[in-house]
């Protein structure tokens, strides 16, 4: 177990929540796609709880887990992201991943201004244009894998290069530059290499994006780098904001989709009845992707918290002004009051939307793109390789360690 109840000692700043018990959240690597037992317990026993994670000068924070409470905290303007700037909130990593000038630390109206620029590159027309290009990219990667023969590592052949290629197409990264970008997102989004390695990777990526944006000045193309360069030239955003926005898309687009899609395939290959159904009913793939997004615990811990700007009652608990609050989308997706049999993968599930892409102003702007990529990968694999299976025992699969996003390090398959 990664949880225990601890009591306050008398040293240090006054903890939040008075004398309520604190749950120590060690955030250790969990086996495969095991749901975090602390989240399961809190959702069941104490939906608004106090937790203590390993890092930060502030000792504790609130954690909300029920679906309606998560929606409230992530959409109510009384909970602020910009108020995080300058705070050392208790958290799961020793270093900050996102730049404070970007979307992640912004509240409206700044957040609205930045997101308005971004949406110019995430239109339905853009996504429609990217899909056939993505399908051709996936087909080429699967051709190479088939030619190489089994056993094959799907992470190396598909889940790694495919999302990087798609997000590079979106951003406008030339093909010859993509290899140098491949490792940076993994270092940035992992606690394993440490703060110095993460900062060094972020600086190399920042320098590259500065050069890319400079190259796009005057471009009339629809790729994201051109959109950001035009917005910067027009004074709509600063250079630092443009770099932060491009970095966020590149890092999350390459890293998160790689792991999330590999998690989906691992789930299908360890639950053959699910894969068989999708082969028989390929029209279900989009619906299946959404259900897998809801069900799979695709990240470790929680993301960025919010700061209460005034006293707010959440789930019957008073959260006071200035206190930090984390909202767990993973736990909300398993709320039994919202999702019938939440621990079951049900491709016929309908009704309430999952929260895997967030909620409120910070709902993931790349959600449509991520869904499309997963649909292309799953559909391509199932159609091309009807005998696709794990090459060994599922217990032998190696998993990423100490990262924000969970996923297999390698996924060996045969067919």
């Amino acid at each position: 177990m990664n949880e225990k109840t601890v009591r306050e000692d008398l040293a240090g700043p006054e903890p939040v929540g008075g004398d309520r018990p604190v749950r120590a959240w060690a955030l250790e690597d969990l086996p495969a796609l095991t749901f975090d037992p602390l989240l399961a317990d809190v959702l069941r026993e104490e939906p608004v709880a106090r937790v203590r994670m390993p890092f930060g000068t502030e000792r504790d924070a609130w954690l909300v887990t029920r679906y309606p409470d998560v929606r409230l905290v992530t959409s109510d303007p009384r909970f602020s992201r910009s108020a995080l700037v300058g705070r050392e909130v208790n958290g799961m990593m020793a270093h900050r991943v996102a730049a404070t000038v970007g979307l992640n630390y912004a509240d409206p109206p700044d957040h609205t201004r930045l997101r308005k620029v971004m949406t110019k590159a995430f239109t339905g027309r853009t996504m429609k244009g990217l899909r056939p290009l993505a399908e051709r990219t996936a087909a080429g990667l699967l051709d190479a894998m088939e030619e190489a023969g089994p056993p094959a590592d799907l992470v190396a052949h598909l889940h790694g290069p495919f999302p990087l290629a798609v997000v590079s197409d979106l951003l406008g990264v030339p093909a010859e530059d993509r290899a140098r970008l491949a490792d940076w997102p993994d270092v940035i989004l992992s606690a394993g290499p440490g703060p110095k390695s993460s900062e060094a990777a972020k600086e190399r990526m920042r320098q590259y994006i500065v050069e890319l944006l400079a190259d796009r000045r005057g471009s009339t193309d629809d790729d994201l780098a051109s959109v950001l360069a035009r917005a910067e030239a027009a004074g709509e955003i600063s250079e630092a904001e443009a770099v932060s926005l491009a970095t966020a898309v590149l890092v999350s687009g390459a890293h998160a989709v790689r792991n999330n899609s590999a998690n989906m395939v691992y789930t299908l290959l360890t639950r053959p009845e699910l894969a068989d159904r999708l082969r028989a009913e390929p029209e279900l793939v989009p619906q299946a992707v959404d259900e897998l997004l809801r069900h799979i615990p695709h990240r470790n811990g929680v993301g960025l918290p919010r700061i209460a700007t005034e006293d707010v009652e959440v789930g019957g608990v008073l959260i006071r002004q200035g206190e930090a609050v984390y909202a767990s989308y993973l736990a909300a997706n398993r709320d039994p009051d919202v999702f019938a049999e939440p621990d079951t993968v049900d491709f016929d599930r309908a009704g309430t939307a999952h929260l895997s892409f967030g909620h409120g102003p910070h709902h993931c702007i790349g959600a449509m793109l991520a869904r499309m990529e997963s649909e292309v990968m799953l559909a391509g694999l199932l159609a091309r390789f009807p005998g696709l299976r794990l090459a060994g025992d599922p217990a032998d699969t190696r998993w990423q360690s100490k990262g924000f996003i969970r996923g297999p390090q390698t996924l060996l398959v045969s067919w």
Side-chain angles (χ1 to χ4, degrees):
M1 294 290 288
N2 65 344
E3 146 187 20
K4 61 182 178 179
T5 300
V6 296
R7 295 287 177 180
E8 303 297 337
D9 56 36
L10 297 178
E14 179 67 20
V16 300
D19 60 357
R20 291 171 63 92
V22 180
R23 295 172 183 261
W25 200 0
L27 297 163
E28 299 166 348
D29 290 331
L30 295 166
L33 295 178
T34 303
F35 193 75
D36 192 316
L38 181 140
L39 289 178
D41 183 65
V42 169
L43 177 63
R44 180 177 62 250
E45 303 292 342
E46 192 182 10
V48 183
R50 287 172 61 213
V51 293
R52 177 175 300 157
M53 289 175 278
F55 300 103
T57 57
E58 298 184 26
R59 298 176 63 185
D60 314 314
W62 289 105
L63 172 68
V64 299
T65 51
R66 292 192 310 176
Y67 190 94
D69 296 339
V70 168
R71 283 172 57 94
L72 171 66
V73 168
T74 54
S75 62
D76 192 311
R78 293 175 293 178
F79 294 98
S80 167
R81 278 282 183 80
S82 64
L84 283 171
V85 178
R87 295 273 297 261
E88 294 293 334
V89 175
N90 187 251
M92 64 175 284
M93 295 186 78
H95 59 281
R96 179 182 287 121
V97 171
T100 56
V101 296
L103 282 168
N104 284 318
Y105 286 88
D107 296 328
D110 274 347
H111 184 276
T112 308
R113 171 179 59 85
L114 295 173
R115 194 173 179 101
K116 183 178 179 181
V117 171
M118 292 287 284
T119 55
K120 296 174 184 176
F122 283 90
T123 64
R125 182 171 68 105
T126 301
M127 295 303 105
K128 187 177 180 180
L130 279 174
R131 186 167 194 128
L133 183 58
E135 289 172 341
R136 289 195 296 272
T137 299
L141 292 169
L142 294 178
D143 285 344
M145 186 176 88
E146 187 171 21
E147 183 177 349
D153 177 11
L154 274 181
V155 174
H157 281 280
L158 180 66
H159 298 293
F162 177 76
L164 180 61
V166 173
V167 78
S168 295
D169 287 334
L170 173 74
L171 191 57
V173 175
E176 61 270 20
D177 289 351
R178 296 177 186 185
R180 59 193 285 213
L181 303 181
D183 295 333
W184 295 340
D186 293 346
V187 176
I188 292 169
L189 287 173
S190 175
K196 289 184 178 179
S197 295
S198 176
E199 291 301 323
K202 282 193 287 186
E203 177 57 23
R204 288 193 294 272
M205 183 172 284
R206 188 196 70 81
Q207 291 173 357
Y208 175 78
I209 290 175
V210 166
E211 295 170 4
L212 180 66
L213 293 175
D215 185 63
R216 289 297 189 280
R217 290 196 181 104
S219 169
T220 58
D221 293 340
D222 291 332
D223 62 78
L224 180 58
S226 296
V227 168
L228 295 174
R230 288 196 296 271
E232 181 191 341
E236 298 171 16
I237 57 175
S238 67
E239 180 187 55
E241 288 170 335
V243 171
S244 174
L245 294 171
T247 301
V249 169
L250 186 54
V251 170
S252 61
H255 184 87
V257 176
R258 181 194 71 186
N259 288 309
N260 291 350
S261 62
N263 288 337
M264 291 180 191
V265 173
Y266 176 85
T267 300
L268 294 179
L269 297 184
T270 53
R271 298 277 304 278
E273 74 280 5
L274 298 177
D276 289 344
R277 184 172 182 199
L278 292 184
R279 289 190 184 98
E281 303 175 68
E283 69 277 6
L284 277 181
V285 167
Q287 197 167 318
V289 165
D290 246 13
E291 172 65 355
L292 292 168
L293 283 166
R294 180 202 68 83
H295 179 267
I296 292 171
H298 60 274
R299 66 161 301 136
N300 287 316
V302 282
L304 285 174
R306 291 161 174 81
I307 304 296
T309 59
E310 59 183 82
D311 291 358
V312 187
E313 185 175 302
V314 178
V317 175
L318 182 64
I319 294 175
R320 297 196 178 277
Q321 179 180 356
E323 293 178 343
V325 187
Y326 286 93
S328 173
Y329 296 123
L330 297 185
N333 284 341
R334 299 286 186 107
D335 188 337
D337 292 335
V338 177
F339 301 100
E341 299 185 32
D343 298 329
T344 299
V345 178
D346 180 6
F347 291 162
D348 296 312
R349 193 182 298 277
T352 307
H354 65 73
L355 299 179
S356 296
F357 291 114
H359 179 66
H362 288 275
H363 181 272
C364 177
I365 198 168
M368 189 187 308
L369 179 64
R371 280 190 176 96
M372 180 271 283
E373 292 179 73
S374 295
E375 291 170 15
V376 167
M377 281 186 274
L378 262 61
L381 276 171
L382 293 171
R384 177 75 72 94
F385 303 104
L388 191 71
R389 61 191 182 278
L390 290 179
D393 191 297
D396 295 333
T397 300
R398 291 187 296 133
W399 293 81
Q400 304 285 344
S401 179
K402 306 296 183 186
F404 274 144
I405 308 298
R406 296 171 68 175
Q409 186 174 338
T410 58
L411 191 58
L412 296 177
V413 296
S414 191
W415 55 87

